[in-house]
Amino acid sequence: MKLIRLLLILVLVFTASSTYAATPSPQPGYTIKTTKLYWRAMQSSPVAKTLLTNTPVRYTTYNRSWSNVYIGSTRYFTPSSNLKAGIPKLTSTERLRLVNKQHGLSASYRSSQLVTLTIPTVYAKGSERTLMAAEAAHALARLYYDGRKQGHTLYALSAYRSYATQKSLYNYWVNARGTAYASMYVARPGHSEHQTGLAVDMTSEQMRMGLYASFDQTPEGKWMIQNAHRYGYIVRYPKGKEKITGYNYEPWHLRYVGVKEATTMKQNNWTFEDWWAKR
């Protein structure tokens, strides 16, 4: 009898282990159209949430027709045909959009692919400044984690900023320091790269979470500046290029353009404006 009990226990343990091992880990994906999430794997079930096109999700296959979508610790169901594996990709027009003092955006412009950054941020998650376009956010996470492996911990201070936020920021600096000062450090509303969802200001604990030109003398800043192109980022306002970019040197300001383009700019010591003129 003891032997039979032991065999039954072993069978149960093996079955549970096999079931657990066979359960796939959620993979990154995104919605390819406006997607309804259900509480059960049937379209007659109540709709729990609705996700817009290009919303990044974590999901696993449930059966031949349905998938599980995970938001936080909650599991939902949706037809698998609503999802696509991977990270939402920007079109080349979006990714390489030139925004500067001469080229602007409409007040209503907002990327459809904004997601919350997964790396440490200075602003609390939930703030618009912790948002970036999904492709850029994914690349920034790779940069962050590779930096951590080298002993460098970076923080995202300010990523996406809406037209309204930029307007408030610009007016503050005009009132505090005058138009001439503001024009060298702060973009006019509609002319900020932050509104694209492709730009981010980075900092570190040594910088006391602030933005200072001496960032390029810190281990974190040196590593980031040297390696940003490997992840598709450029230092948007480099030293010695102020007359071309129209802004003072900002070693903290990264702009996502893609690995190929960022590498070309790095190798040729080009600004984005230089690349744009030669494209």
Side-chain angles (χ1 to χ4, degrees), residues 25-33 54-61 67 69 79-89 138:
S25 298
Q27 63 176 322
Y30 59 98
T31 59
I32 56 177
K33 58 184 178 181
N54 290 327
T55 301
V57 296
R58 296 181 305 121
Y59 77 98
T60 59
T61 300
S67 290
V69 171
S80 298
S81 58
N82 293 346
L83 303 173
K84 185 173 181 179
I87 304 297
K89 293 296 183 182
H138 182 69

Side-chain angles (χ1 to χ4, degrees), residues 9-261:
I9 291 171
L10 289 173
V11 168
L12 288 172
V13 169
F14 176 78
T15 301
S17 300
S18 298
T19 300
Y20 179 79
T23 302
S25 298
Q27 63 176 322
Y30 59 98
T31 59
I32 56 177
K33 58 184 178 181
T34 299
T35 297
K36 294 178 181 179
L37 302 185
Y38 302 90
W39 290 117
R40 299 173 63 187
M42 55 179 63
Q43 293 184 338
S44 60
S45 173
V47 175
K49 284 181 176 291
T50 300
L51 302 181
L52 298 178
T53 302
N54 290 327
T55 301
V57 296
R58 296 181 305 121
Y59 77 98
T60 59
T61 300
Y62 177 69
N63 60 26
R64 292 180 62 183
S65 302
W66 290 78
S67 290
N68 291 132
V69 171
Y70 300 85
I71 299 178
S73 59
T74 305
R75 182 181 72 166
Y76 303 95
F77 297 86
T78 198
S80 298
S81 58
N82 293 346
L83 303 173
K84 185 173 181 179
I87 304 297
K89 293 296 183 182
L90 296 157
T91 66
S92 59
T93 299
E94 293 173 308
R95 178 168 47 83
L96 297 169
R97 185 189 299 271
L98 178 64
V99 176
N100 58 16
K101 291 184 176 181
Q102 292 74 42
H103 299 82
L105 300 164
S106 69
S108 62
Y109 179 83
R110 178 185 170 99
S111 171
S112 63
Q113 298 187 16
L114 293 178
V115 298
T116 300
L117 292 171
T118 58
I119 72 170
T121 55
V122 176
Y123 285 87
K125 297 294 196 290
S127 166
E128 69 171 30
R129 299 193 189 207
T130 66
L131 303 175
M132 284 194 85
E135 183 180 334
H138 182 69
L140 191 66
R142 290 177 49 240
L143 180 151
Y144 168 79
Y145 286 111
D146 284 353
R148 279 288 300 271
K149 292 175 184 177
Q150 301 296 320
H152 308 303
T153 301
L154 294 158
Y155 293 81
L157 174 58
S158 185
Y160 171 73
R161 292 202 294 261
S162 65
Y163 182 97
T165 297
Q166 191 67 27
K167 181 178 180 180
S168 177
L169 184 66
Y170 180 76
N171 289 341
Y172 169 83
W173 284 108
V174 167
N175 293 330
R177 299 292 294 272
T179 303
Y181 176 89
S183 67
M184 292 303 296
Y185 288 96
V186 185
R188 289 180 290 117
H191 293 266
S192 171
E193 284 204 322
H194 289 277
Q195 192 182 341
T196 66
L198 301 175
V200 59
D201 296 330
M202 303 297 289
T203 186
S204 67
E205 291 182 358
Q206 190 169 334
M207 291 289 97
R208 301 185 300 281
M209 303 304 181
L211 303 176
Y212 305 99
S214 58
F215 182 53
D216 66 4
Q217 298 303 307
T218 67
E220 294 82 8
K222 288 180 180 178
W223 182 87
M224 186 190 82
I225 292 168
Q226 183 62 34
N227 292 280
H229 67 286
R230 303 178 189 277
Y231 307 90
Y233 281 92
I234 59 171
V235 176
R236 181 64 177 90
Y237 308 119
K239 184 181 293 185
K241 303 286 187 174
E242 292 83 355
K243 290 184 179 180
I244 298 174
T245 65
Y247 294 98
N248 277 6
Y249 173 47
E250 294 187 359
W252 59 79
H253 182 110
L254 295 182
R255 161 65 194 265
Y256 183 74
V257 294
V259 174
K260 178 182 177 181
E261 291 80 4

